Amino acid sequence: MQVDIRNYYEVLLMEILRDEGLMEELPEEYLADLCCVTLNQLPVRYIRHLVDTYFFEDYNELQNMKNEIQAALEKSREFLKTNLKKRIAEEEAEAKVKLEALPIIENS
């Protein structure tokens, strides 16, 4: 038996990313990280049929969900940016230590 369910927040997040042009703009690896970090901050709302949600959903509820996603997306971008800077600094420090450990060769 195959059950066709999905997380509605995931659907809305993908719509937002598409609407902002980020699906084409961002590298695939970064986009995957951004989606994971963002979705981990949000509640889960499972749906079976997207058409049903459009028919039955309340406009205010949809706006609240989109606002939650935008806030989580901003936090995720900042988190990934900070994490990248930290990783770069660590790699630079590690490279410096390796460079300093190299023997000095003098020309005679």
Side-chain angles (χ1 to χ4, degrees):
M1 177 174 101
Q2 184 177 2
V3 179
D4 186 25
I5 60 172
R6 59 184 128 174
N7 179 357
Y8 191 40
Y9 278 92
E10 185 176 337
V11 173
L12 292 175
L13 174 60
M14 294 303 157
E15 285 179 8
I16 289 170
L17 293 173
R18 253 189 309 280
D19 290 348
E20 293 181 4
L22 297 176
M23 296 292 280
E24 297 80 27
E25 180 183 318
L26 297 173
E28 193 173 310
E29 287 293 316
Y30 178 82
L31 191 59
D33 288 345
L34 181 64
C35 288
C36 289
V37 174
T38 301
L39 288 167
N40 282 333
Q41 297 175 62
L42 298 166
V44 178
R45 182 169 179 189
Y46 289 109
I47 58 171
R48 288 190 58 208
H49 304 288
L50 195 54
V51 172
D52 292 343
T53 59
Y54 289 139
F55 184 72
F56 291 111
E57 74 187 355
D58 176 69
Y59 176 78
N60 290 329
E61 183 179 7
L62 176 61
Q63 285 308 117
N64 286 339
M65 290 173 74
K66 286 183 176 183
N67 290 341
E68 286 178 293
I69 293 169
Q70 285 291 353
L73 197 50
E74 289 175 26
K75 283 178 65 177
S76 298
R77 285 177 171 163
E78 188 58 38
F79 172 80
L80 291 173
K81 183 178 174 182
T82 301
N83 194 30
L84 177 61
K85 286 180 182 178
K86 180 180 174 185
R87 195 167 56 230
I88 289 171
E90 288 172 354
E91 289 172 1
E92 287 174 350
E94 186 177 304
K96 184 178 179 182
V97 168
K98 287 180 182 178
L99 186 62
E100 291 171 352
L102 292 175
I104 298 174
I105 301 172
E106 295 182 21
N107 292 335
S108 304

